[in-house]
């Protein structure tokens, strides 16, 4: 029995997934996590450090790591890379000025070997704001087609404010992870 | 043991003997303890001699003044941009040194050292503006202060060189103005975001309720904002006054500016200095309705709960302060008929 199949077996028993949420500050990561968990989103301070949320989603247990995106603490993202099954990159689609910054940080994180096997969901957030870039435009700006061909990824427009698109995005992510690490049953 | 067996016939003597033995044992134990303690204390200084951890104010101060002297002399010899960049890096190293040791330094020393550092930075800036004339904004040590130099691989560079392929939209906003009063009233709820950028000596009045506000590169401006339902992002401002109410407020690279805020959550600052905070004080016809609409009618007191991402420790950050009451503007009223 190879190591990989042992790991698969352990994971299958627990049905657990580890999901890492990152992105620039002000993109709405914490709001998204609270929204899909059905919590109040009206008072959220910029994240100093990180939050962990454990929630049941379909028949899986998701451990969501929501890590602060302020520039000062971006260098700590690497501490959360280990054993990540799914990566959620959140973009503020209305913040056109910092898109280069966003693209740079995204491609930087995708070079990380420890994340090479993780499924990637890009949430183009704040679609409810007038003037926001559409998911297609965002995919062009972030140059997603230039990504490694082996990467499983999807871009999804959403609004953490109205909740639109969030479940659809997480459905894809969870299904994609499940098809990789669990034997389909 | 032998002794005790030998003396067994005489109980009295025996007990005396055991007592004696016990006290001898006790003395030996004390001696062992004393030795151990001594060896411990003699070991301690050697571990303390590690150059990075010296908990003595005196040795810290001498190290500080040495670094300052060398920076001063470097500065006086600086002729080019790269010289100055090097000086900036040593200044930020010095700043780091102060931060690392601030936990044991008396607060007076911390303040003096930080003052010295900010003076040094100012000098660097002055010299920079002499050497590299007229650049609109002077956040020179940005790179050094972020403390991490991203390594750019060739493929990424290829990304960077490509021109953005997305449509550059002109989003609503006030841009590139000087000496003007800029007024905008948001009617109804269909307004999204608003941007104010590259303004100099302007007064901006935004009435009504908006979703998101981006502020970028303002100098010597006054900005009055009704209510922001989402978040406000303020970057690179200097010598400005802001009066605004919002759910979330982030302030990056601001200097010498005052913020009169109402916020649902804790405002944060990053890479700022000389910023001061006070409670929201704007009024105009219908402001109560706008605040209520954005759920901001309540004074939360969060204007004073500022988190400094550059100062993650228990003592008060040197980068911001509460604006003393006698220096606050009494209240700002903007009327309907403007000018």
């Amino acid at each position: 029995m190879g190591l990989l199949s042992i790991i698969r077996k352990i994971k299958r028993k627990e049905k657990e997934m580890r999901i890492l949420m990152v992105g620039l500050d002000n993109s709405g990561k914490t709001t998204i996590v609270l929204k899909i968990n059905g919590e109040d989103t009206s008072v959220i301070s910029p994240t100093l450090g990180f939050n962990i949320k454990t929630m049941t989603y379909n028949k899986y247990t998701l451990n969501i790591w929501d890590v602060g995106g302020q520039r000062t603490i971006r260098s700590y993202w690497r501490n959360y890379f280990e054993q990540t099954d799914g990566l959620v990159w959140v973009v503020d689609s209305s913040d056109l000025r910092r898109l280069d910054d966003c693209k740079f940080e995204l491609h930087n994180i995708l070079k990380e070997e420890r994340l090479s096997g993780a499924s990637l969901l890009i949430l183009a957030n704040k679609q409810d704001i007038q003037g926001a870039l559409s998911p297609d435009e965002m995919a062009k700006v972030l140059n997603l087609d230039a990504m490694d061909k082996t990467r499983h990824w999807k871009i999804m427009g959403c609004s953490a404010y109205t909740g639109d698109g969030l479940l659809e995005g997480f459905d894809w992510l969870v299904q994609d992870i499940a098809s990789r690490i669990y034997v389909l049953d | 043991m032998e002794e005790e067996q030998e003396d067994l016939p005489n109980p009295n003597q025996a007990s005396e003997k055991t007592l004696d033995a016990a006290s001898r044992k006790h003395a030996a134990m004390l001696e062992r303890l004393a030795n151990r303690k001594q060896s411990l204390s003699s070991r301690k200084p050697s571990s303390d001699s590690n150059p990075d951890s010296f908990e003595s104010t005196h040795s810290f101060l001498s190290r500080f003044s040495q670094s300052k002297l060398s920076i001063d002399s470097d500065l006086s010899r600086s002729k080019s941009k790269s010289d100055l960049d090097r000086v900036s890096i040593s200044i930020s190293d010095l700043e780091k040194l102060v931060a690392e040791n601030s936990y044991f330094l008396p607060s007076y020393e911390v303040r003096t050292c930080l003052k010295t550092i900010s003076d040094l930075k100012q000098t660097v800036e002055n010299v920079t503006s002499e050497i590299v004339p007229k650049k609109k904004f002077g956040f020179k040590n940005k790179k050094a202060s972020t403390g991490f130099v991203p390594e750019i691989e060739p493929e990424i560079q290829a990304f960077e060189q490509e021109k953005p392929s997305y449509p550059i939209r002109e989003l609503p906003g006030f841009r590139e103005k000087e000496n003007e009063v800029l007024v905008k009233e948001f009617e109804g709820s269909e307004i999204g975001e608003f941007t104010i950028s590259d303004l100099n000596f302007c007064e901006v009045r935004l009435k009504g309720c908006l979703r998101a506000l981006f502020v970028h590169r303002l100098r010597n401006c006054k900005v009055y904002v009704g209510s922001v339902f989402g978040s406000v992002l303020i970057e690179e401002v200097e010598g400005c006054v802001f009066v605004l109410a919002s759910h979330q407020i982030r302030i990056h690279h601001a200097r010498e500016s005052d913020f009169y805020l109402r916020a649902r959550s804790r405002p944060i600052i990053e890479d700022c200095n000389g910023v001061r905070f006070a409670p929201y004080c704007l009024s105009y016809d219908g402001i109560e309705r706008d605040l209520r609409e954005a759920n901001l009618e309540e004074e939360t007191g969060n204007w004073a709960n500022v988190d400094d991402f550059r100062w993650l420790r228990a003592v008060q950050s040197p980068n911001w302060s509460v604006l003393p009451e006698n220096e606050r503007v009494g209240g700002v009223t903007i009327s309907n008929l403007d000018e």
Side-chain angles (χ1 to χ4, degrees), chain A residues 100 103-104 107 111 140-143 146, chain B residues 151-165:
Chain A
D100 280 342
K103 179 166 133 188
F104 172 77
H107 286 283
K111 281 186 289 180
K140 280 204 198 91
V141 175
L142 297 180
N143 208 354
Chain B
E151 58 172 62
I152 299 174
E153 287 184 3
E155 42 184 312
I156 293 289
Q157 270 175 337
F159 280 137
E160 304 302 329
Q161 279 157 9
E162 273 173 39
K163 283 286 158 221
S165 49

Side-chain angles (χ1 to χ4, degrees), chain B residues 137 179 199-203 218-223 237-241 256-257:
Chain B
F137 273 84
N179 294 310
L199 305 182
N200 201 3
F201 289 102
C202 288
E203 182 174 321
L218 259 55
R219 273 189 118 160
N220 312 308
C221 291
K222 293 190 167 68
V223 179
V237 298
E238 191 175 348
C240 295
V241 175
E256 313 303 329
S257 294

Side-chain angles (χ1 to χ4, degrees), chain A residues 19 35 37 47 56 69 107 113 133 171:
Chain A
I19 291 173
K35 191 77 182 180
N37 205 30
T47 306
T56 312
H107 286 283
E113 209 183 327
L133 284 192
D171 275 342

Side-chain angles (χ1 to χ4, degrees), chain B residues 119-280:
Chain B
D119 288 349
L120 280 174
K121 283 182 178 166
Q122 190 59 48
T123 321
V124 170
E125 212 160 275
N126 295 344
V127 177
T128 311
S129 59
E130 278 167 32
I131 296 177
V132 195
K134 63 168 178 217
K135 193 137 188 236
K136 232 181 178 178
F137 273 84
F139 299 98
K140 293 296 177 227
N141 48 5
K142 193 170 165 185
K143 201 152 193 187
S145 64
T146 54
F148 107 109
V149 183
E151 58 172 62
I152 299 174
E153 287 184 3
E155 42 184 312
I156 293 289
Q157 270 175 337
F159 280 137
E160 304 302 329
Q161 279 157 9
E162 273 173 39
K163 283 286 158 221
S165 49
Y166 57 95
I168 308 263
R169 297 179 188 164
E170 192 58 6
L171 292 167
F174 294 136
R175 297 178 174 86
E176 295 176 21
K177 305 267 192 233
E178 203 154 328
N179 294 310
E180 281 185 46
V181 177
L182 304 157
V183 184
K184 172 98 184 158
E185 195 150 350
F186 300 102
E187 294 281 5
S189 54
E190 279 314 293
I191 185 69
E193 60 169 346
F194 200 77
T195 300
I196 48 183
S197 69
D198 300 284
L199 305 182
N200 201 3
F201 289 102
C202 288
E203 182 174 321
V204 180
R205 304 172 189 170
L206 306 179
K207 289 200 232 170
C209 193
L210 58 159
R211 265 301 305 278
L213 178 65
F214 295 103
V215 178
H216 186 216
R217 289 208 296 253
L218 259 55
R219 273 189 118 160
N220 312 308
C221 291
K222 293 190 167 68
V223 179
Y224 306 122
V225 184
S227 68
V228 182
F229 189 64
S231 63
V232 178
L233 180 63
I234 299 174
E235 296 198 312
E236 299 181 34
V237 298
E238 191 175 348
C240 295
V241 175
F242 290 86
V243 183
L244 52 91
S246 174
H247 279 222
Q248 281 195 335
I249 298 167
R250 293 176 173 84
I251 303 166
H252 303 156
H253 299 282
R255 287 200 307 207
E256 313 303 329
S257 294
D258 291 345
F259 296 86
Y260 296 79
L261 304 180
R262 177 174 297 170
R264 297 270 292 174
S265 59
R266 301 168 70 91
I268 72 117
I269 61 170
E270 191 174 62
D271 302 304
C272 293
N273 61 59
V275 291
R276 305 187 295 177
F277 292 85
Y280 190 62

Side-chain angles (χ1 to χ4, degrees), chain B residues 74-88:
Chain B
D74 283 351
L75 198 53
S76 60
R77 274 183 281 119
S78 292
K79 296 247 161 6
S80 70
K81 181 86 177 57
S82 60
D83 285 346
L84 285 168
D85 285 346
R86 257 198 307 283
V87 173
S88 300

Side-chain angles (χ1 to χ4, degrees), chain B residues 3-22:
Chain B
E3 265 182 10
E4 278 176 33
Q5 266 174 0
E6 219 178 285
D7 295 319
L8 215 63
N10 186 340
N12 261 345
Q13 212 184 351
S15 71
E16 219 171 72
K17 282 266 175 182
T18 28
L19 212 86
D20 197 34

